[in-house]
Amino acid sequence: MSLPIPEVAVTLRVNGADHELRLDPRVTLIDALRDALGLTGTKKGCDQGACGACTVLVDGKRVVSCLMLAAQAEGREVTTVEGLSRDGALHPVQEAFIRHDAFQCGYCTPGQILSAVCLLAEGRAGSDEEIREFMSGNLCRCGAYPNIVAAIREVAGAGGSP
Ligand code: FES
Ligand code: FES
C-alpha cells in the first residue's frame, strides 16, 4: 500500500497574476493551468513532449508544459494564449493567423501562436526555411503549415512581434 503524497504550496505567476495553489508535487504545468486555473486555451495532445500543442512561454522561452512540473514554474513568468491580448486587442500574431487562415480545427493553434511569438522575439523568422525549422516542434494534424508560415512571415515583415 502506497502512502498518499502530501500536497505542496505552489505560487504560479501566469499572465501577470499570482495564483497560490496547493498541488500534488507530480502535477504538470499543463494540468495546473487547465484544471486548477481554468486556462483551457493550452491544449493537451500527446502528453509526451512530442506535439507542441501544450506550448506556453516560461520567462519568455517556449516550454512544452506537459513535460514541466507546476512546481518547477514557481517564481517564473508563465504566459499562455489567454495572456497575449492587450486591452481587448488580439496580439499581432493572433490577427495574422486569422488573416491567413492558419488553422482548421484550431487544436494546435494556441501552441503554434506561442511558438511563433517566441521565435519572432528571438529573431528567428528570417526566411520560410528558418520559420519551418523553428516551428518544427509544433505539429498540425490539419496540415495548415503553409498558412502558418505565411502568417509568421507577415508579422516578421512588419517588424516582428511586440
Ligand atoms: S501535449 Fe505536450 S507536447 Fe504534446
Ligand atoms: S489546425 Fe487542426 S491540428 Fe492544427
Side-chain angles (χ1 to χ4, degrees):
M1 191 178 85
S2 57
L3 294 171
I5 294 182
E7 292 185 333
V8 294
V10 178
T11 302
L12 288 183
R13 186 163 182 77
V14 183
N15 301 331
D18 286 328
H19 302 271
E20 294 179 10
L21 304 171
R22 292 199 66 81
L23 299 171
D24 183 316
R26 298 166 296 180
V27 166
T28 55
L29 180 56
I30 186 173
D31 286 344
L33 292 170
R34 289 180 56 87
D35 300 339
L37 299 180
L39 295 171
T40 54
T42 304
K43 302 303 184 200
K44 186 183 282 187
C46 64
D47 208 16
Q48 295 181 353
C51 75
C54 65
T55 302
V56 299
L57 303 185
V58 176
D59 292 338
K61 300 293 179 198
R62 295 186 273 185
V63 164
V64 280
S65 58
C66 67
L67 291 189
M68 185 177 204
L69 295 174
Q72 290 176 293
E74 186 160 60
R76 304 172 75 180
E77 190 74 44
V78 179
T79 304
T80 70
V81 71
E82 291 91 345
L84 288 182
S85 60
R86 289 283 174 276
D87 301 323
L90 291 178
H91 188 282
V93 174
Q94 292 175 301
E95 290 179 340
F97 266 59
I98 293 169
R99 262 195 307 280
H100 288 272
D101 208 12
F103 49 85
Q104 291 180 40
C105 77
Y107 199 81
C108 72
T109 309
Q112 302 277 4
I113 286 174
L114 284 158
S115 273
V117 167
C118 188
L119 79 87
L120 285 158
E122 292 175 344
R124 301 203 185 269
S127 66
D128 287 5
E129 292 69 32
E130 195 175 31
I131 293 169
R132 276 195 285 271
E133 181 181 344
F134 283 90
M135 291 295 291
S136 62
N138 289 83
L139 305 184
C140 176
R141 289 176 300 184
C142 301
Y145 298 113
N147 307 50
I148 291 169
V149 171
I152 296 170
R153 190 175 56 222
E154 180 191 275
V155 181
S161 172

